[in-house]
Amino acid sequence: MKKVVISLAYLVLSTMNNAMTTLVTLPDSETIKKRLEALQLNDLVRVTSIHKKFGGKEYYPVGVYHGTEISIDDYNQYYKDSPKLHDLMQSFAPIIVNTILQDHPEAIKELIEFREKGNYEKNTN
């Protein structure tokens, strides 16, 4: 079952990536870690190693958004699915994504436009 879910997630993500044109190389993991720690997200970094997931790799903006959502879900599961924590961390998702993509304003703009058109919701529901 897990393999099917992962395959479906990959298919959805591939479809979204095809709609994006800006492929960016993200900063190294240490830079991402420092940026997130500056936002007082040390525990998220410790629990999820989100900085290692993205550090120095190439991503489309929607891939960064999706990967951030997965890290937030992993963080919430670590703390036993607390609804209050989940809501709080979801509110941080755009800030985390913008922090990771801050060297690429064109990627942030493309992600905002993509979401405003409703493409993200349409492709993930």
Side-chain angles (χ1 to χ4, degrees):
M1 180 66 166
K2 187 175 183 179
K3 189 174 183 179
V4 172
V5 172
I6 291 171
S7 297
L8 180 60
Y10 177 77
L11 177 64
V12 169
L13 188 56
S14 295
T15 302
M16 291 186 296
N17 282 346
N18 288 335
M20 306 239 94
T21 58
T22 306
L23 180 65
V24 297
T25 302
L26 300 174
D28 62 78
S29 62
E30 192 60 31
T31 299
I32 293 172
K33 179 180 178 185
K34 286 178 183 175
R35 288 177 183 175
L36 294 174
E37 287 174 344
L39 295 173
Q40 303 302 310
L41 295 170
N42 307 41
D43 200 48
L44 176 73
V45 169
R46 180 187 64 79
V47 170
T48 67
S49 297
I50 188 172
H51 61 295
K52 292 178 183 176
K53 178 184 295 186
F54 293 122
K57 297 180 180 142
E58 287 189 334
Y59 273 87
Y60 288 99
V62 74
V64 174
Y65 185 87
H66 182 69
T68 299
E69 291 284 327
I70 290 170
S71 291
I72 288 171
D73 286 345
D74 292 346
Y75 186 71
N76 191 44
Q77 287 177 2
Y78 179 84
Y79 285 106
K80 311 294 185 221
D81 295 322
S82 163
K84 287 182 180 181
L85 177 64
H86 183 265
D87 291 347
L88 176 66
M89 292 309 294
Q90 283 300 110
S91 70
F92 277 102
I95 297 166
I96 295 167
V97 171
N98 286 348
T99 299
I100 293 169
L101 290 173
Q102 77 182 36
D103 297 328
H104 303 284
E106 72 285 359
I108 295 170
K109 181 181 177 195
E110 185 174 346
L111 182 59
I112 291 168
E113 290 170 357
F114 188 71
R115 294 202 67 212
E116 285 175 352
K117 292 178 187 173
N119 290 324
Y120 185 77
E121 289 79 9
K122 210 180 299 177
N123 285 326
T124 57
N125 288 334

